[in-house]
Amino acid sequence: MNGAIFFSTKYGSTAQYANWISEATGLPVFNVKDSDIDLLKYDFLILGSPVIYYKLSIRKWVERHLASIESKPIIFFSVSGAPAGAKLDGWIAESLPESFILKMNHVALRGRQIPEQLTWYDRMMLKIGALTNKDPEARKEEFEGFDFMDKSSIEPILKLVEQFQLSEVLT
C-alpha cells in the first residue's frame, strides 16, 4: 500500500514526530499548510495534529478533505501534554466527525511545551488555565512547561504501517 504523512503543527512537536515516522517508514511527509497534494494517489494516510486549546489544529483540513480521505485507512496521531484517556478522547470528539473517529486508528503521543517559546497570548492563556486547573501535576506543567518527546513512542504507528503494507501483499 502506498501511504503518506500529513500533519499540522504550531510549535514543532508534531512536525518532529511526522519526520521521525517518515524516516522510519520512507513515506513522504507534508505539512497541511504547505501542500496541495492529490490525496487520491495514496492508499492510506497518517495524519498528525497537536491539541491547541482543547481542539485539534488539523480539524478544518480534515473537514475540507473528508470526501477524499474517508474511504482510506487512517492512522491518526495526536500530540499534547495530556496522556491517552477520557480527557483527550473528548477533545478529539469535539474536533473530528464521528464517522471519521470510528474508522481511524488513534495513537496518542505526548508533546513538548517550552513556555519561553510560546507566543505571549499562549503563555497568558496557559497561566489562566493553570490557575483554574484542579489537577496539581497538570497545573505545574502549564506553569513550568514539559518535554515528553520520545522517538520510541512512534512504535505503534510503525506497526500499523507494517500491517497496512502487509495486507496489500496478502491480497
Side-chain angles (χ1 to χ4, degrees):
M1 288 185 107
N2 182 26
I5 305 159
F6 292 85
F7 71 94
S8 66
T9 194
K10 185 165 184 180
Y11 291 106
S13 298
T14 309
Q16 180 66 67
Y17 279 123
N19 287 318
W20 283 339
I21 295 164
S22 177
E23 289 169 11
T25 62
L27 297 175
V29 61
F30 305 98
N31 185 323
V32 297
K33 285 185 178 180
D34 300 332
S35 61
D36 189 25
I37 304 300
D38 180 9
L39 296 169
L40 298 176
K41 70 182 190 177
Y42 299 106
D43 301 315
F44 73 93
L45 302 175
I46 301 172
L47 305 178
S49 177
V51 176
I52 306 289
Y53 299 118
Y54 314 115
K55 292 187 168 109
L56 297 167
S57 67
I58 203 169
R59 68 189 182 284
K60 291 179 182 176
W61 184 90
V62 169
E63 289 172 12
R64 274 195 313 276
H65 295 92
L66 192 58
S68 300
I69 64 177
E70 66 186 348
S71 64
K72 299 177 184 299
I74 301 288
I75 300 168
F76 183 82
F77 68 94
S78 60
V79 180
S80 73
K87 186 187 322 185
L88 181 58
D89 291 344
W91 298 338
I92 291 170
E94 291 292 318
S95 296
L96 297 174
E98 183 179 6
S99 60
F100 184 81
I101 293 170
L102 291 173
K103 69 175 296 296
M104 72 181 190
N105 296 279
H106 177 236
V107 177
L109 302 175
R110 305 287 305 274
R112 175 185 313 126
Q113 176 203 293
I114 302 170
E116 301 80 38
Q117 294 179 355
L118 303 178
T119 64
W120 177 87
Y121 180 80
D122 286 347
R123 276 195 314 273
M124 290 305 107
M125 293 303 290
L126 274 170
K127 287 181 182 185
I128 291 167
L131 292 171
T132 61
N133 197 328
K134 293 177 174 46
D135 178 342
E137 185 62 32
R139 183 179 324 115
K140 180 181 178 190
E141 290 170 1
E142 288 171 339
F143 274 124
E144 297 175 10
F146 53 85
D147 187 352
F148 299 117
M149 296 293 294
D150 178 10
K151 190 174 185 177
S152 68
S153 66
I154 67 171
E155 283 302 317
I157 295 169
L158 303 181
K159 287 183 177 164
L160 286 165
V161 170
E162 285 178 33
Q163 289 175 6
F164 288 173
Q165 292 172 331
L166 183 61
S167 70
E168 179 186 48
V169 173
L170 297 175
T171 55

